[in-house]
Amino acid sequence: MSRAIATFFGVGLLPWAPGTWGSAVAIPVAWVLHGLGGFPLFAAATVLVFFVGWWATAEATRGSDDHDPSEIVIDEVAGIWLALWPLSAGLWHADVGAWVFPWPGWVGAFVMFRLFDIWKPGPVGWADRRGDALGVMLDDVIAGVFAALCVAVAAGISHGLLGM
């Protein structure tokens, strides 16, 4: 079970760019969670994925020299979901239809999350260098927080300053 969770039910086993695939596949799952329960369900699912992912990563890497194999993508799921929090929270707060998940928000979250996850600036790189399961999860969580801040600022500019 830990391997299934760590690979996000096999998505991490795709041959090219598994982290990108993990992030991409996590977006429609986020949309479904948001549609079913709004931001509260989505936020709770994100926290659950972090803790279950931490456990699954620890189990999947136990006894291995590679602390962060590319097929482990549950960390990307937690990270991209955090990057999507401003979108989900904003839609929920504005009482927009449950199944609305506009493309500028999720595309921006995806691009910014992948940028921070690959670039690994400052604390993202620090977490990645930990060399343990918590570090595997934390680097993507921190990248997700950075991406969420970008999404929130972009939304503020777009909806606040531009009045859209």
Side-chain angles (χ1 to χ4, degrees), residues 32-98:
V32 169
L33 289 167
H34 174 81
L36 291 173
F39 180 67
L41 176 63
F42 183 50
T46 304
V47 172
L48 180 65
V49 160
F50 173 79
F51 286 108
V52 171
W54 182 9
W55 165 81
T57 300
E59 290 298 313
T61 59
R62 187 177 313 282
S64 172
D65 290 337
D66 188 356
H67 79 280
D68 192 3
S70 61
E71 67 267 12
I72 294 180
V73 296
I74 195 66
D75 51 329
E76 272 82 13
V77 175
I80 190 67
W81 284 4
L82 274 171
L84 291 166
W85 274 23
L87 175 63
S88 178
L91 293 168
W92 182 70
H93 177 73
D95 201 24
V96 175

